[in-house]
Amino acid sequence: MTTLQGTYLQLLVRGLLAGLIAGLLAGTIAFVIGEPHVDSAIAIEEAAGAAEHVEATPGAHSHDEEDALVSRDGQRAGLFLATGLAGLALGAIFATVLHYARRFTSLSGSTLAIAAGALGWLAIEAVPFFKYPANPPAVGDPDTINQRTWLWLASVVLGLLAVAIGLYVAKTVASHSSLAVRIAAPLAAFLVVVGLGYALLPTINEVGADFPATLLWEFRLSSLATQATLWIALGLAFAFLTDRAVGKARESAAT
């Protein structure tokens, strides 16, 4: 099989293009299935805030007295800009990782890209999500935002470490005659590291008892779907561009 070919600059351009495509697709998913849940959560938050304001100030109006700095329409329009820019940044990092990773594998360029996209999602999205799932705007104490941010970053590091150890174990047992061992050993190593990390990291649950459970999990699943789209599209787009580049190179060599 042909390993990933091209200079670092060529891979970087490929990664930027793949990242932009992935970011815009993720933005579309977030807009279609995520924004309705965000609107519902904001409505709950505003209703609760208005009720507290009226209770504290008898005779006061129930609507917000100050407009948001950015309207919801502005936020929706900025969603695609944000996901596009995030995709570009992720694409650059993705290309850099593949540039170095290709030195340690004989996988084809497209296979390496798809595998890297899947492992990236697993490490950076899936592992943190199942410990600290995303919450809608109406959930969370503003006073704990720094703590929650650092714990989320710690869970990302945990995911990267677990994947790295799993890959190391997979490489170690790659020559083993038993397929079961080649599959079970890296999987067990990954799960052990994640399990230990989950046990050491503190649990945070700031969801109020009166918050609709259905809305909460619909929001979380839409967030998970958005991130899955980003990583899957990134890997597939990079793989497609890689195969296209290889095809052009072969055509040029044949003429």
Side-chain angles (χ1 to χ4, degrees):
M1 291 186 292
T2 305
T3 57
L4 183 60
Q5 300 294 323
T7 65
Y8 173 67
L9 181 59
Q10 290 173 328
L11 296 183
L12 182 61
V13 172
R14 197 179 303 168
L16 290 172
L17 180 56
L20 179 60
I21 294 171
L24 294 177
L25 286 175
T28 302
I29 295 298
F31 182 83
V32 173
I33 68 175
E35 284 299 299
H37 304 316
V38 173
D39 287 338
S40 298
I42 290 176
I44 293 174
E45 185 179 34
E46 290 177 346
E52 291 177 0
H53 178 68
V54 171
E55 182 179 351
T57 311
H61 296 290
S62 61
H63 60 78
D64 292 338
E65 297 186 7
E66 295 183 1
D67 293 330
L69 294 177
V70 181
S71 67
R72 283 295 293 144
D73 289 338
Q75 292 174 9
R76 293 188 187 96
L79 173 64
F80 290 95
L81 176 62
T83 57
L85 291 175
L88 285 171
L90 184 60
I93 296 173
F94 190 77
T96 302
V97 170
L98 292 185
H99 170 65
Y100 290 101
R102 62 180 172 176
R103 305 176 184 181
F104 305 99
T105 180
S106 60
L107 293 176
S108 68
S110 56
T111 302
L112 177 60
I114 294 173
L119 292 175
W121 174 82
L122 181 63
I124 299 175
E125 175 59 24
V127 170
F129 176 86
F130 289 106
K131 181 62 179 178
Y132 302 119
N135 287 326
V139 175
D141 183 357
D143 294 335
T144 64
I145 188 170
N146 289 333
Q147 178 192 17
R148 286 184 281 122
T149 299
W150 283 110
L151 287 175
W152 178 82
L153 288 174
S155 67
V156 171
V157 173
L158 171 64
L160 292 171
L161 179 63
V163 167
I165 291 177
L167 289 174
Y168 175 79
V169 173
K171 188 174 182 179
T172 302
V173 300
S175 59
H176 199 282
S177 58
S178 172
L179 176 62
V181 171
R182 295 200 301 271
I183 295 175
L187 179 60
F190 171 82
L191 292 176
V192 167
V193 174
V194 172
L196 290 174
Y198 278 8
L200 292 174
L201 290 171
T203 299
I204 295 180
N205 183 12
E206 297 182 347
V207 181
D210 57 342
F211 192 87
T214 301
L215 175 59
L216 175 66
W217 282 104
E218 286 178 345
F219 175 86
R220 288 177 172 176
L221 290 176
S222 67
S223 175
L224 187 64
T226 299
Q227 293 300 319
T229 299
L230 177 66
W231 283 99
I232 292 172
L234 176 61
L236 290 176
F238 197 100
F240 171 79
L241 294 172
T242 295
D243 287 341
R244 188 167 179 267
V246 170
K248 285 188 175 182
R250 288 174 178 172
E251 290 177 2
S252 298
T255 56

